[in-house]
Protein backbone atom coordinates (compact mmCIF):
# COMPACT_ATOMS: atom_id res chain seq x y z
CA UNK A 1 0.00 0.00 0.00
CA UNK A 2 1.35 3.44 -0.93
CA UNK A 3 1.69 6.00 1.80
CA UNK A 4 2.26 9.71 1.38
CA UNK A 5 3.76 11.66 4.24
CA UNK A 6 4.54 15.33 4.58
CA UNK A 7 7.85 16.36 6.00
CA UNK A 8 8.10 17.39 9.62
CA UNK A 9 11.13 19.28 10.85
CA UNK A 10 14.11 19.92 8.61
CA UNK A 11 13.61 19.48 4.89
CA UNK A 12 16.60 18.02 3.05
CA UNK A 13 17.67 20.06 0.05
CA UNK A 14 17.30 18.12 -3.14
CA UNK A 15 17.29 18.58 -6.86
CA UNK A 16 14.45 19.67 -9.08
CA UNK A 17 12.31 16.80 -10.30
CA UNK A 18 12.47 14.83 -7.05
CA UNK A 19 10.45 15.06 -3.87
CA UNK A 20 11.10 12.88 -0.86
CA UNK A 21 8.78 11.40 1.76
CA UNK A 22 9.55 9.42 4.87
CA UNK A 23 8.06 5.93 4.62
CA UNK A 24 8.60 3.12 7.12
CA UNK A 25 11.90 4.58 8.25
CA UNK A 26 13.25 5.10 4.74
CA UNK A 27 12.84 7.40 1.78
CA UNK A 28 10.84 6.99 -1.39
CA UNK A 29 10.85 9.38 -4.31
CA UNK A 30 7.75 10.50 -6.12
CA UNK A 31 8.59 10.45 -9.80
CA UNK A 32 7.80 13.93 -11.05
CA UNK A 33 8.37 15.01 -14.60
CA UNK A 34 11.83 16.63 -14.78
CA UNK A 35 12.03 20.21 -15.98
CA UNK A 36 13.53 20.77 -19.40
CA UNK A 37 15.81 23.76 -18.68
CA UNK A 38 18.41 24.98 -16.19
CA UNK A 39 20.20 28.08 -14.93
CA UNK A 40 23.88 27.06 -14.95
CA UNK A 41 26.67 28.80 -13.08
CA UNK A 42 30.45 28.62 -13.48
CA UNK A 43 31.56 30.70 -10.50
CA UNK A 44 30.41 31.59 -6.97
CA UNK A 45 30.53 34.89 -5.10
CA UNK A 46 29.75 34.89 -1.37
CA UNK A 47 27.35 37.55 -0.11
CA UNK A 48 26.67 38.61 3.48
CA UNK A 49 25.73 41.61 5.56
CA UNK A 50 22.05 42.03 4.78
CA UNK A 51 20.48 45.29 3.62
CA UNK A 52 21.50 46.43 0.17
CA UNK A 53 24.49 44.13 -0.21
CA UNK A 54 22.54 41.63 -2.32
CA UNK A 55 21.45 44.26 -4.84
CA UNK A 56 25.05 45.45 -5.07
CA UNK A 57 26.17 41.89 -5.80
CA UNK A 58 23.43 41.41 -8.41
CA UNK A 59 24.47 44.59 -10.20
CA UNK A 60 28.11 43.45 -10.31
CA UNK A 61 27.49 39.82 -11.31
CA UNK A 62 28.64 38.53 -14.68
CA UNK A 63 26.90 35.81 -16.67
CA UNK A 64 27.02 32.40 -15.02
CA UNK A 65 27.47 33.65 -11.44
CA UNK A 66 26.07 32.10 -8.29
CA UNK A 67 25.57 34.51 -5.38
CA UNK A 68 25.74 32.38 -2.23
CA UNK A 69 24.14 34.02 0.82
CA UNK A 70 26.25 33.21 3.86
CA UNK A 71 23.96 34.47 6.66
CA UNK A 72 20.32 34.59 7.75
CA UNK A 73 19.93 38.36 7.76
CA UNK A 74 17.21 40.54 6.26
CA UNK A 75 18.03 41.87 2.79
CA UNK A 76 16.47 44.77 0.94
CA UNK A 77 14.18 44.16 -2.04
CA UNK A 78 16.05 43.47 -5.26
CA UNK A 79 15.55 44.09 -8.98
CA UNK A 80 16.98 41.96 -11.77
CA UNK A 81 17.90 43.86 -14.94
CA UNK A 82 19.95 42.52 -17.87
CA UNK A 83 21.30 39.44 -16.07
CA UNK A 84 22.18 36.14 -17.71
CA UNK A 85 22.28 32.86 -15.82
CA UNK A 86 22.33 34.35 -12.32
CA UNK A 87 21.67 32.14 -9.29
CA UNK A 88 20.87 33.65 -5.89
CA UNK A 89 20.98 30.90 -3.29
CA UNK A 90 21.09 30.56 0.49
CA UNK A 91 24.01 28.55 1.79
CA UNK A 92 23.16 25.34 3.65
CA UNK A 93 21.60 26.14 7.04
CA UNK A 94 21.01 29.82 6.25
CA UNK A 95 17.55 31.43 6.01
CA UNK A 96 17.87 34.92 4.53
CA UNK A 97 14.73 37.00 4.04
CA UNK A 98 13.40 39.87 1.98
CA UNK A 99 10.37 41.91 3.05
CA UNK A 100 8.54 44.01 0.47
CA UNK A 101 8.04 47.69 1.18
CA UNK A 102 4.49 48.52 2.22
CA UNK A 103 1.95 49.35 -0.44
CA UNK A 104 0.55 48.02 -3.70
CA UNK A 105 3.03 47.29 -6.45
CA UNK A 106 6.03 46.77 -4.18
CA UNK A 107 7.87 43.46 -4.41
CA UNK A 108 10.58 41.43 -2.76
CA UNK A 109 12.12 40.53 -6.12
CA UNK A 110 11.30 42.38 -9.34
CA UNK A 111 12.15 40.89 -12.70
CA UNK A 112 12.73 43.80 -15.05
CA UNK A 113 13.95 43.92 -18.65
CA UNK A 114 16.73 42.10 -20.46
CA UNK A 115 17.02 38.96 -18.29
CA UNK A 116 17.68 35.39 -19.35
CA UNK A 117 18.12 32.78 -16.64
CA UNK A 118 17.40 33.53 -12.94
CA UNK A 119 17.35 30.99 -10.10
CA UNK A 120 16.19 31.84 -6.55
CA UNK A 121 16.71 29.24 -3.81
CA UNK A 122 16.29 29.18 -0.05
CA UNK A 123 14.77 32.61 0.58
CA UNK A 124 11.87 33.76 2.73
CA UNK A 125 9.80 36.38 0.90
CA UNK A 126 7.50 38.40 3.18
CA UNK A 127 4.66 40.67 2.10
CA UNK A 128 3.55 44.00 3.53
CA UNK A 129 0.02 44.28 2.19
CA UNK A 130 0.97 44.66 -1.47
CA UNK A 131 -2.28 43.73 -3.20
CA UNK A 132 -3.65 46.48 -5.40
CA UNK A 133 -7.25 46.90 -6.52
CA UNK A 134 -6.45 47.71 -10.15
CA UNK A 135 -2.92 46.95 -11.32
CA UNK A 136 -2.87 43.27 -10.45
CA UNK A 137 -0.18 42.30 -12.94
CA UNK A 138 2.18 44.13 -10.59
CA UNK A 139 1.43 42.71 -7.15
CA UNK A 140 3.51 39.57 -6.56
CA UNK A 141 6.33 39.27 -4.05
CA UNK A 142 8.37 37.73 -6.88
CA UNK A 143 6.94 39.67 -9.78
CA UNK A 144 7.19 40.20 -13.51
CA UNK A 145 4.48 42.19 -15.25
CA UNK A 146 3.33 42.28 -18.83
CA UNK A 147 5.41 45.32 -19.74
CA UNK A 148 8.53 43.12 -19.91
CA UNK A 149 8.87 42.21 -23.61
CA UNK A 150 10.54 38.80 -23.19
CA UNK A 151 11.96 36.38 -20.64
CA UNK A 152 13.41 32.88 -20.54
CA UNK A 153 14.15 30.54 -17.58
CA UNK A 154 13.16 31.26 -13.99
CA UNK A 155 13.63 28.68 -11.22
CA UNK A 156 12.20 29.34 -7.73
CA UNK A 157 13.03 26.52 -5.32
CA UNK A 158 12.94 25.84 -1.56
CA UNK A 159 11.48 29.28 -0.80
CA UNK A 160 8.77 30.44 1.60
CA UNK A 161 6.23 33.14 0.78
CA UNK A 162 4.12 34.62 3.58
CA UNK A 163 1.88 37.48 4.60
CA UNK A 164 1.92 38.58 8.27
CA UNK A 165 -1.28 39.00 10.25
CA UNK A 166 -1.07 42.78 10.23
CA UNK A 167 -1.28 42.96 6.43
CA UNK A 168 -3.11 39.73 5.51
CA UNK A 169 -6.26 41.59 4.50
CA UNK A 170 -4.22 43.05 1.62
CA UNK A 171 -2.12 39.98 0.94
CA UNK A 172 -0.58 39.74 -2.54
CA UNK A 173 0.42 36.65 -4.51
CA UNK A 174 3.69 35.05 -3.57
CA UNK A 175 4.64 34.58 -7.22
CA UNK A 176 2.99 36.58 -9.98
CA UNK A 177 4.46 36.36 -13.47
CA UNK A 178 2.58 37.83 -16.41
CA UNK A 179 3.83 37.58 -19.97
CA UNK A 180 1.86 37.94 -23.18
CA UNK A 181 0.93 35.18 -25.65
CA UNK A 182 3.41 32.56 -24.44
CA UNK A 183 5.79 33.00 -27.37
CA UNK A 184 8.15 35.54 -25.80
CA UNK A 185 8.01 34.34 -22.18
CA UNK A 186 8.95 30.78 -21.40
CA UNK A 187 10.38 28.21 -18.96
CA UNK A 188 9.34 28.63 -15.31
CA UNK A 189 9.76 26.17 -12.44
CA UNK A 190 8.28 26.69 -8.95
CA UNK A 191 9.45 23.77 -6.85
CA UNK A 192 9.27 22.79 -3.17
CA UNK A 193 7.94 26.15 -1.94
CA UNK A 194 5.49 27.07 0.82
CA UNK A 195 2.88 29.82 0.44
CA UNK A 196 1.17 31.12 3.59
CA UNK A 197 -1.75 33.55 3.31
CA UNK A 198 -0.66 34.90 -0.09
CA UNK A 199 -3.51 36.35 -2.17
CA UNK A 200 -5.74 36.03 0.92
CA UNK A 201 -6.90 39.60 0.53
CA UNK A 202 -10.22 40.50 2.13
CA UNK A 203 -10.54 43.29 -0.44
CA UNK A 204 -12.52 42.53 -3.59
CA UNK A 205 -10.14 42.13 -6.52
CA UNK A 206 -10.63 42.74 -10.22
CA UNK A 207 -8.84 39.60 -11.37
CA UNK A 208 -8.62 36.00 -10.23
CA UNK A 209 -5.03 35.70 -9.16
CA UNK A 210 -3.83 33.09 -6.67
CA UNK A 211 -0.94 32.50 -4.30
CA UNK A 212 1.06 31.26 -7.31
CA UNK A 213 -0.09 32.95 -10.51
CA UNK A 214 1.60 32.55 -13.90
CA UNK A 215 0.08 33.68 -17.21
CA UNK A 216 1.25 34.38 -20.72
CA UNK A 217 4.12 31.87 -20.59
CA UNK A 218 5.04 28.61 -22.25
CA UNK A 219 6.48 25.58 -20.43
CA UNK A 220 5.57 26.07 -16.76
CA UNK A 221 6.23 23.54 -13.97
CA UNK A 222 4.63 23.98 -10.51
CA UNK A 223 5.69 21.02 -8.37
CA UNK A 224 5.74 19.87 -4.75
CA UNK A 225 4.35 23.00 -3.08
CA UNK A 226 2.12 23.75 -0.08
CA UNK A 227 -0.44 26.60 -0.20
CA UNK A 228 -2.02 27.33 3.16
CA UNK A 229 -4.29 29.83 4.85
CA UNK A 230 -3.42 30.20 8.52
CA UNK A 231 -6.55 30.77 10.59
CA UNK A 232 -4.64 32.73 13.24
CA UNK A 233 -3.60 35.21 10.52
CA UNK A 234 -6.78 35.55 8.47
CA UNK A 235 -10.04 33.70 9.07
CA UNK A 236 -11.63 31.43 6.50
CA UNK A 237 -14.65 33.71 6.06
CA UNK A 238 -12.43 36.77 5.47
CA UNK A 239 -10.07 35.17 2.98
CA UNK A 240 -10.48 35.54 -0.78
CA UNK A 241 -7.43 33.32 -1.28
CA UNK A 242 -6.88 31.17 -4.35
CA UNK A 243 -4.19 28.55 -4.81
CA UNK A 244 -2.54 27.90 -8.19
CA UNK A 245 -3.82 30.02 -11.09
CA UNK A 246 -2.37 29.38 -14.55
CA UNK A 247 -2.95 30.67 -18.08
CA UNK A 248 -0.17 29.45 -20.32
CA UNK A 249 0.48 27.48 -23.49
CA UNK A 250 1.79 24.42 -21.62
CA UNK A 251 1.52 23.93 -17.84
CA UNK A 252 2.20 21.02 -15.50
CA UNK A 253 1.06 21.23 -11.86
CA UNK A 254 1.81 18.18 -9.70
CA UNK A 255 2.23 17.25 -6.03
CA UNK A 256 0.66 20.48 -4.75
CA UNK A 257 -1.57 20.78 -1.66
CA UNK A 258 -3.99 23.68 -1.18
CA UNK A 259 -5.37 23.67 2.35
CA UNK A 260 -8.37 25.60 3.68
CA UNK A 261 -7.68 28.67 1.60
CA UNK A 262 -10.89 30.55 2.44
CA UNK A 263 -14.52 31.19 1.52
CA UNK A 264 -14.81 34.95 0.96
CA UNK A 265 -14.54 34.82 -2.84
CA UNK A 266 -14.21 32.32 -5.68
CA UNK A 267 -11.47 30.50 -3.76
CA UNK A 268 -10.45 27.94 -6.35
CA UNK A 269 -7.63 25.69 -5.23
CA UNK A 270 -6.50 25.02 -8.82
CA UNK A 271 -7.59 27.11 -11.80
CA UNK A 272 -6.83 27.36 -15.51
CA UNK A 273 -7.80 30.97 -16.02
CA UNK A 274 -9.16 32.89 -19.01
CA UNK A 275 -8.77 36.52 -17.92
CA UNK A 276 -7.02 38.77 -20.44
CA UNK A 277 -5.11 40.58 -17.69
CA UNK A 278 -2.93 37.44 -17.52
CA UNK A 279 -2.10 37.33 -21.24
CA UNK A 280 -3.55 35.62 -24.28
CA UNK A 281 -1.84 32.21 -24.04
CA UNK A 282 -4.69 29.71 -24.27
CA UNK A 283 -3.09 26.28 -24.09
CA UNK A 284 -3.11 22.97 -22.23
CA UNK A 285 -2.60 22.25 -18.55
CA UNK A 286 -2.13 18.98 -16.66
CA UNK A 287 -2.87 18.75 -12.91
CA UNK A 288 -1.57 15.53 -11.35
CA UNK A 289 -1.30 14.28 -7.77
CA UNK A 290 -2.76 17.47 -6.33
CA UNK A 291 -4.94 17.89 -3.23
CA UNK A 292 -7.65 20.45 -2.42
CA UNK A 293 -8.39 19.95 1.28
CA UNK A 294 -11.27 21.85 2.90
CA UNK A 295 -11.51 24.17 -0.08
CA UNK A 296 -14.59 25.95 -1.37
CA UNK A 297 -13.88 25.00 -4.98
CA UNK A 298 -11.47 22.37 -6.21
CA UNK A 299 -10.45 22.46 -9.87
CA UNK A 300 -11.80 24.99 -12.36
CA UNK A 301 -11.37 25.59 -16.09
CA UNK A 302 -12.47 28.98 -17.39
CA UNK A 303 -10.25 29.09 -20.48
CA UNK A 304 -11.96 29.54 -23.84
CA UNK A 305 -9.63 27.21 -25.77
CA UNK A 306 -7.07 24.58 -24.91
CA UNK A 307 -7.63 21.97 -22.24
CA UNK A 308 -7.35 21.14 -18.53
CA UNK A 309 -6.76 17.57 -17.38
CA UNK A 310 -7.02 16.60 -13.69
CA UNK A 311 -5.76 13.11 -12.85
CA UNK A 312 -4.86 11.14 -9.70
CA UNK A 313 -5.87 14.10 -7.57
CA UNK A 314 -8.09 14.67 -4.54
CA UNK A 315 -10.82 17.00 -3.38
CA UNK A 316 -11.51 16.20 0.26
CA UNK A 317 -13.64 18.26 2.64
CA UNK A 318 -14.44 17.08 6.16
CA UNK A 319 -16.08 20.34 7.32
CA UNK A 320 -19.68 20.83 6.28
CA UNK A 321 -20.63 24.08 4.56
CA UNK A 322 -17.36 25.02 2.89
CA UNK A 323 -18.43 23.69 -0.52
CA UNK A 324 -22.16 24.45 -0.12
CA UNK A 325 -23.59 25.71 -3.40
CA UNK A 326 -20.29 25.19 -5.24
CA UNK A 327 -19.19 23.02 -8.16
CA UNK A 328 -16.08 21.04 -7.19
CA UNK A 329 -14.88 20.19 -10.73
CA UNK A 330 -16.09 23.24 -12.62
CA UNK A 331 -15.95 24.04 -16.32
CA UNK A 332 -17.17 27.50 -17.29
CA UNK A 333 -16.59 28.03 -21.00
CA UNK A 334 -17.25 25.89 -24.04
CA UNK A 335 -15.40 24.77 -26.18
CA UNK A 336 -12.61 24.35 -23.63
CA UNK A 337 -11.71 20.75 -22.81
CA UNK A 338 -11.94 19.56 -19.19
CA UNK A 339 -10.96 15.96 -18.47
CA UNK A 340 -11.30 14.53 -14.93
CA UNK A 341 -10.10 10.97 -14.34
CA UNK A 342 -8.83 8.72 -11.55
CA UNK A 343 -9.67 11.25 -8.83
CA UNK A 344 -11.22 11.19 -5.35
CA UNK A 345 -14.04 13.72 -4.84
CA UNK A 346 -15.28 13.51 -1.27
CA UNK A 347 -17.25 16.28 0.37
CA UNK A 348 -19.10 16.73 3.65
CA UNK A 349 -22.60 16.33 2.26
CA UNK A 350 -22.48 19.49 0.16
CA UNK A 351 -21.26 20.73 -3.20
CA UNK A 352 -21.87 19.46 -6.72
CA UNK A 353 -19.20 17.12 -8.04
CA UNK A 354 -19.07 18.11 -11.73
CA UNK A 355 -20.29 20.75 -14.11
CA UNK A 356 -22.78 19.21 -16.47
CA UNK A 357 -20.55 20.27 -19.34
CA UNK A 358 -17.43 18.43 -18.22
CA UNK A 359 -16.13 16.79 -21.40
CA UNK A 360 -14.81 13.54 -19.94
CA UNK A 361 -14.96 12.12 -16.44
CA UNK A 362 -14.21 8.51 -15.63
CA UNK A 363 -12.64 6.24 -13.03
CA UNK A 364 -13.47 8.69 -10.24
CA UNK A 365 -14.76 8.09 -6.71
CA UNK A 366 -17.57 10.55 -5.92
CA UNK A 367 -18.77 10.30 -2.32
CA UNK A 368 -20.98 12.38 -0.02
CA UNK A 369 -21.61 15.30 -2.36
CA UNK A 370 -24.97 17.06 -2.57
CA UNK A 371 -25.31 16.15 -6.25
CA UNK A 372 -23.11 14.68 -8.99
CA UNK A 373 -24.01 17.32 -11.58
CA UNK A 374 -22.94 15.43 -14.69
CA UNK A 375 -24.36 11.92 -14.88
CA UNK A 376 -21.66 9.66 -13.48
CA UNK A 377 -19.63 7.50 -15.81
CA UNK A 378 -20.16 3.71 -15.52
CA UNK A 379 -16.56 3.39 -14.30
CA UNK A 380 -17.13 5.70 -11.31
CA UNK A 381 -17.47 4.68 -7.68
CA UNK A 382 -19.59 6.19 -4.90
CA UNK A 383 -17.61 4.80 -1.96
CA UNK A 384 -16.13 6.39 1.14
CA UNK A 385 -12.50 6.69 0.09
CA UNK A 386 -11.31 6.29 3.71
CA UNK A 387 -8.25 8.56 3.39
CA UNK A 388 -5.38 7.25 5.42
CA UNK A 389 -4.63 10.03 7.88
CA UNK A 390 -6.34 13.39 7.41
CA UNK A 391 -4.73 14.94 10.51
CA UNK A 392 -1.33 14.46 8.91
CA UNK A 393 -2.46 15.43 5.41
CA UNK A 394 -2.30 11.92 3.96
CA UNK A 395 -5.07 11.63 1.37
CA UNK A 396 -4.68 8.40 -0.56
CA UNK A 397 -7.53 5.91 -0.66
CA UNK A 398 -7.56 2.90 1.64
CA UNK A 399 -10.88 1.48 0.47
CA UNK A 400 -10.03 -1.91 -1.16
CA UNK A 401 -12.32 -1.56 -4.22
CA UNK A 402 -10.65 1.75 -5.02
CA UNK A 403 -7.18 0.25 -4.89
CA UNK A 404 -7.81 -1.09 -8.38
CA UNK A 405 -10.57 1.29 -9.41
CA UNK A 406 -8.59 3.66 -11.60
CA UNK A 407 -7.73 3.39 -15.25
CA UNK A 408 -5.23 0.65 -16.16
CA UNK A 409 -6.03 -1.00 -12.83
CA UNK A 410 -4.25 1.66 -10.80
CA UNK A 411 -5.61 2.90 -7.47
CA UNK A 412 -7.77 6.01 -7.57
CA UNK A 413 -5.82 8.94 -6.16
CA UNK A 414 -2.59 6.95 -5.99
CA UNK A 415 0.10 6.77 -8.63
CA UNK A 416 2.22 3.68 -9.21
CA UNK A 417 5.02 3.27 -11.72
CA UNK A 418 5.82 0.09 -13.58
CA UNK A 419 8.85 -0.22 -11.29
CA UNK A 420 6.66 -0.58 -8.21
CA UNK A 421 5.25 1.53 -5.41
CA UNK A 422 5.33 5.29 -5.76
CA UNK A 423 4.07 8.05 -3.49
CA UNK A 424 0.73 9.64 -4.30
CA UNK A 425 1.56 13.01 -2.79
CA UNK A 426 4.39 14.53 -0.82
CA UNK A 427 4.59 18.12 0.33
CA UNK A 428 6.62 20.75 2.08
CA UNK A 429 6.61 21.27 5.88
CA UNK A 430 3.28 21.66 7.62
CA UNK A 431 2.27 25.24 8.27
CA UNK A 432 1.44 26.48 11.75
Amino acid sequence: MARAFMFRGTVPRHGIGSSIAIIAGGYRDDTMIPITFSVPFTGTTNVSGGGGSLQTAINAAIAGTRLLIMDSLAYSPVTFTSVTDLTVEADAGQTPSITAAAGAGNHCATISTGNSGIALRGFSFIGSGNAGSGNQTNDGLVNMNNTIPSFDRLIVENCTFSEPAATAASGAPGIQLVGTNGLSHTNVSVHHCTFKNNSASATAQLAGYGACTIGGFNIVFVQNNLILRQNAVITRAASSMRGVVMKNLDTLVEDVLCEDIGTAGSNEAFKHNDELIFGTANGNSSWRNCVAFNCKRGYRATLTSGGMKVSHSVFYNNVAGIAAGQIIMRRDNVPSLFVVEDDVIQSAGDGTAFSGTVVTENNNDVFNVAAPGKVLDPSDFTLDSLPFDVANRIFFTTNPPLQTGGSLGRPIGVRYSVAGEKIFWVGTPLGT
Side-chain angles (χ1 to χ4, degrees), residues 20 93 155 167 246 281 310 322 326 406:
I20 300 174
I155 296 172
T167 53
M246 299 283 114
V310 182
I322 295 178
Q326 304 302 316

Side-chain angles (χ1 to χ4, degrees), residues 11 95-99 108 120-127 141-142 156-163 174-175 190-198 225-226 230 428-431:
V11 180
T95 56
S97 65
I98 297 177
T99 299
C108 297
L120 303 172
R121 295 189 174 98
F123 267 84
S124 176
F125 297 105
I126 303 169
L141 302 185
V142 171
V156 183
E157 186 176 21
N158 295 328
C159 292
T160 298
F161 299 84
S162 63
E163 192 73 37
I175 293 175
V190 181
H191 179 259
H192 206 274
C193 294
T194 300
F195 299 80
K196 299 178 181 179
N197 313 309
N198 302 107
N225 302 298
L226 168 65
Q230 297 170 293
T428 48
L430 295 180

